Amino acid sequence: MKAFVRGLLARANEVPKIHQRKVSAGFGCLTSPPPPEKGLENLTVADVLSTKDTEVDTWISCRTNDTVSDAVKNMAKHNIGSLVVLKPGDQQYIAGIVTERDYMKKIIGAGRSSKLTKVGEVMTDESKLVTVSSGTNIIKAMQLMSENHIRHVPVIDGKIVGLISMVDVVKAIVDHQNGELKRLNEFIKGDYY
């Protein structure tokens, strides 16, 4: 996986070449640029969030005073690997994040009871939390996740607006690359007109 991420990051840092196609109109040659596209350097976390399932929130939460057992059941129910942890109260203020890894290391590995332990005791606290904004470039988000050995990053624009995973980012990059290949094939065939 690390080699794959390094390859994607190296590919994203390449400077794209602009190609032009000469078209003969019978009276001379016209030069037309390829159709506009949004390059990897312009893809943002907001673009990733917009592709996620809209019937389900882009993040599922629990509260600091919930038991770890309830939080893990919530993760299993939604088939996800992390929950955003909110501070007690009606506001959407983030207190941290709790992940499968937290459960394994701090509950199972430490021999603690998940039914007696509160999420606030095992979560990654907001002071240590790595976050991005919706305007963050997806390559930068991928670098943050890779450098910090994390798979989930809350998206904060003043308050929590979503959660992205390494899978979400890689999928967005692969989808972009597939779209780029399709555009290049259409350009070569002349089908883009």
Side-chain angles (χ1 to χ4, degrees), residues 73-178:
K73 287 176 186 174
N74 199 2
M75 282 189 247
K77 175 183 173 186
H78 292 96
N79 195 29
I80 55 176
S82 68
L83 295 174
V84 172
V85 182
L86 300 176
K87 295 177 181 176
D90 294 333
Q91 301 296 328
Q92 300 286 314
Y93 294 117
I94 190 166
I97 190 170
V98 64
T99 66
E100 296 166 317
R101 188 177 294 167
D102 292 327
Y103 175 70
M104 295 300 292
K105 288 174 73 175
K106 299 172 184 174
I107 299 296
I108 302 297
R112 296 171 75 177
S113 169
S114 63
K115 292 183 179 185
L116 300 175
T117 307
K118 301 293 183 189
V119 171
E121 298 173 43
V122 297
M123 70 180 187
T124 300
D125 188 74
E126 70 176 312
S127 64
K128 298 177 184 172
L129 200 57
V130 176
T131 65
V132 294
S133 72
S134 59
T136 302
N137 175 275
I138 61 169
I139 300 302
K140 178 66 176 166
M142 180 183 273
Q143 286 173 329
L144 283 170
M145 287 188 254
S146 182
E147 290 167 1
N148 290 286
H149 307 286
I150 56 177
R151 294 174 289 180
H152 304 92
V153 179
V155 182
I156 310 287
D157 289 338
K159 65 176 188 170
I160 180 106
V161 295
L163 182 80
I164 60 167
S165 68
M166 181 63 86
V167 171
D168 296 329
V169 173
V170 170
K171 182 182 180 312
I173 291 171
V174 169
D175 289 348
H176 173 76
Q177 297 295 354
N178 286 338

Side-chain angles (χ1 to χ4, degrees), residues 39-53:
L40 281 177
E41 65 280 354
N42 297 322
L43 280 178
T44 64
V45 169
D47 297 319
V48 174
L49 288 175
S50 70
T51 64
K52 293 182 88 163
D53 187 1

Side-chain angles (χ1 to χ4, degrees), residues 52-60 78 80:
K52 293 182 88 163
D53 187 1
T54 55
E55 292 181 15
V56 179
D57 282 338
T58 60
W59 54 282
I60 310 282
H78 292 96
I80 55 176

Side-chain angles (χ1 to χ4, degrees), residues 9-27:
L9 293 174
R11 170 79 170 101
N13 290 327
E14 291 178 4
V15 177
K17 295 177 182 168
I18 303 295
H19 299 282
Q20 293 187 339
R21 181 174 182 191
K22 292 188 178 185
V23 180
S24 176
F27 301 105

